[in-house]
């Protein structure tokens, strides 16, 4: 067997495994979200399907798959159907360069970080297409918000990521993880706490999660960009949201929390634990904070995150130069 | 100075976010306050405004107070209530309107009342007009909070049922009723 064939086979397995990870974690995350929502509001959450409602998401997924795909009159056929696919499709390349364990990386690339940042930009495009193609005023408003928000928050996100890249001198996620040590004081969050904070806020905003869920603000825009979607069209957007959460948390873990590096347990489990802790925090945010107004959202970005990110980047560059 | 104040405000705002997380976090750890329906039911349903029911007569709990005056049927904005007057007893034929009848005692016994009293809960808005306007206070809201059914017909009630003649033995429980017995 030639080397190319080996590579191809390896990549194929990686893609299939990633798809499986995405599907399973979406099921787990949606269940977690509803359970956390329930308990925060002091009610049981899903309870009827399976013990403690663990099969509720499976039932919902089957329901979504069974529904008729429906396109409203006057909607752009191509854009309308392309949007949910485009929202979900980048999920696989996004997860490939992430080091889940010491040797568990789907695609070892030098520019893994750039790959992730580039592909995550497609999400905004997908939301824009969904809003534009739906022929619906709420969807259009949601799309406009999505674009303004994504464009704004991508800049401080990049800056926080860059300051880590400055420190480690590489854009390869595996190398960034290897640069950190097993104990918390070896992690990048210890040297770059501000960058982590900025990254986390921007990540929540980039994934359109509450309190930054303006593109789909239920109370103002019905459902925002996915107002007209039902069945699997909506399902794909839903899946994309949770996959994006998974991606931003994985990147945060690799960049700031030492990735799979930690004592005692094998690396893979530590990576999962760290990701799920971050995901739980994001879910916790959703059920705590009220949605921002649009001007507050942009003010937070342009008046706080951007200057702070810039200052942090400059400071890091200066310190790297001196020492 | 203004901008310094504004920055201080924003930092204080940041602290309020942490407080918010603490509030939801403690709520998450506490016990549930909702009643988990099929497994448990609330017991304080006395103030619940459920479908209306007829009140027992004070001197004969087997009969309703209702004198079949039709007021409730008239005031109900949705026409939920249908009352049919009881026919006077046969022996009193012709003396219906006569005031001074010699069978005064019998007349008293065969007092006015409804022959049927049907109530369509599917159309009732629970406005309470019937309750307020009944001259003898014969209607009240029941506390049947757990009413459920899969058939619209199950919600058209015969309100005289609970004063059942002997053959109608099943009495709907006030409070908990299955759809089968509700109809
Ligand atoms: S509560 Fe209102 S709607 Fe219902 S039966 Fe009485 S008068 Fe009619
Ligand atoms: S319930 Fe009251 S208002 Fe209705 S017919 Fe009987 S006496 Fe009249």
């Amino acid at each position: 067997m030639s080397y190319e064939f080996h590579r191809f086979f390896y990549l194929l397995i990686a893609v299939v495994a990633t798809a499986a990870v995405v599907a399973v974690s979406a099921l787990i995350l949606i269940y977690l979200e509803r359970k956390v929502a329930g308990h925060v509001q002091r009610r049981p959450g899903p309870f009827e399907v399976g013990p403690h409602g663990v099969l509720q998401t499976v039932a919902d997924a089957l329901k979504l798959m069974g529904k008729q795909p429906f396109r409203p009159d006057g909607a752009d056929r191509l854009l309308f159907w392309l949007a949910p696919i485009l929202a979900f499709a980048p999920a696989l390349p996004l997860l490939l360069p992430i080091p889940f364990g010491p040797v568990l990386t789907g695609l070892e690339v030098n520019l893994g970080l750039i790959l992730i940042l580039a592909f995550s930009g497609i999400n905004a495009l997908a939301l824009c297409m969904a809003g534009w193609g739906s022929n619906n005023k709420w969807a259009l408003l949601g799309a406009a918000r999505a674009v303004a928000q994504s464009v704004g928050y991508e800049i401080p996100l990049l800056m926080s990521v860059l300051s880590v890249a400055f420190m480690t001198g590489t854009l390869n996620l595996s190398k960034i993880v290897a640069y950190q040590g097993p104990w918390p004081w070896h992690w990048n969050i210890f040297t770059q706490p501000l960058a982590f904070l900025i990254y986390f806020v921007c990540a929540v905003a980039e994934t359109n999660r509450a309190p930054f869920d303006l593109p789909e603000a239920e109370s103002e825009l019905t459902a925002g960009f996915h107002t007209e979607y039902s069945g699997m069209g909506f399902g794909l957007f839903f899946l994309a949201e949770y996959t994006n959460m998974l991606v931003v948390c994985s990147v945060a873990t690799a960049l700031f929390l030492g990735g799979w590096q930690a004592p005692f347990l094998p690396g893979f489990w530590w990576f999962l634990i760290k990701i799920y802790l971050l995901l739980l925090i994001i879910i916790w945010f959703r059920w705590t904070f009220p949605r921002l107004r649009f001007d507050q959202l942009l003010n937070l970005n342009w008046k706080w995150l951007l200057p702070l990110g810039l200052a942090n980047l400059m400071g890091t560059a200066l310190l790297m130069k001196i020492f | 100075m203004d901008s310094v104040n504004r920055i201080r405000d924003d930092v204080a705002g940041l602290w309020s976010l942490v407080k918010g997380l603490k509030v939801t976090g403690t709520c998450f750890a506490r016990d549930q306050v909702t009643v988990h329906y099929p497994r448990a039911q609330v017991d304080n349903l006395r103030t619940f405004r459920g479908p209306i029911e007829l009140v027992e007569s004070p001197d004969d709990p087997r009969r309703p107070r209702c004198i079949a005056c039709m007021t409730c049927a008239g005031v109900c904005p949705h026409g939920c209530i249908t009352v049919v007057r009881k026919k006077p007893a046969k022996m009193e034929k012709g003396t219906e309107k006569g005031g001074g009848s010699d069978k005064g005692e019998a007349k008293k016994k065969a007092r006015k009342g409804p022959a049927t009293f049907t109530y369509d809960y599917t159309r009732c808005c629970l406005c309470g007009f019937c309750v307020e306007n009944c001259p003898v206070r014969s209607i009240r809201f029941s506390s049947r909070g757990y009413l459920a059914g899969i058939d619209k017909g199950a919600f058209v009630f015969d309100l005289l049922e609970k004063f059942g003649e002997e053959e109608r033995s099943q009495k709907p429980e006030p409070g908990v009723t299955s759809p089968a017995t509700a109809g």
Side-chain angles (χ1 to χ4, degrees), chain A residues 100-151:
Chain A
F100 283 96
V103 288
L104 207 60
T105 313
L107 182 67
E108 194 74 57
V109 278
N110 276 339
L111 300 174
L113 212 47
I114 300 281
L115 184 77
I116 290 175
L117 291 171
F119 272 99
S120 64
I122 295 181
N123 194 40
L125 185 66
L127 303 196
C128 183
M129 277 165 63
W132 182 258
S134 291
N135 188 28
N136 177 308
K137 52 183 178 290
W138 289 303
L140 195 58
L141 277 173
R145 288 178 175 195
V147 172
Q149 180 175 336
S150 301
V151 168

Side-chain angles (χ1 to χ4, degrees), chain A residues 190-245:
Chain A
F190 199 69
T191 45
Q192 291 281 4
L194 189 60
F196 176 72
L197 209 66
I198 295 171
Y199 176 87
F200 203 57
V201 173
C202 293
V204 176
E206 280 285 301
T207 47
N208 298 325
R209 293 278 305 178
F212 304 106
D213 57 344
L214 282 102
E216 44 177 298
E218 296 94 339
S219 46
E220 310 147 29
L221 298 182
T222 320
F225 62 89
H226 63 66
T227 305
E228 293 292 357
Y229 286 90
S230 60
M232 233 19 224
F234 166 74
L236 282 179
F237 277 124
F238 208 48
L239 207 58
E241 178 183 332
Y242 285 94
T243 315
N244 285 335
M245 277 167 69

Side-chain angles (χ1 to χ4, degrees), chain A residues 35-36 39-40 42-44 47-48 284-285 287-289 303-304, chain B residues 7 10 17 20-21 24-25 27-28 30-34 36 39:
Chain A
K35 271 294 183 195
V36 170
H39 284 273
V40 162
R42 300 184 70 184
R43 54 187 174 81
F47 211 88
E48 299 304 327
W284 188 8
F285 280 180
W287 300 104
T288 305
F289 299 140
K303 288 192 182 167
W304 278 101
Chain B
I7 289 176
D10 281 2
L17 294 183
L21 284 177
T24 44
C27 277
F28 180 84
R30 290 227 193 104
D31 283 346
Q32 290 158 21
V33 288
T34 52
H36 206 162
R39 295 161 188 83

Side-chain angles (χ1 to χ4, degrees), chain B residues 52 75-78 80-81 119 123-130 141:
Chain B
I52 59 166
V75 294
C76 176
H78 305 296
C80 311
I81 301 175
Y119 163 54
R123 284 150 71 187
C124 175
C125 66
L126 301 167
C127 63
F129 286 177
C130 53
F141 286 114

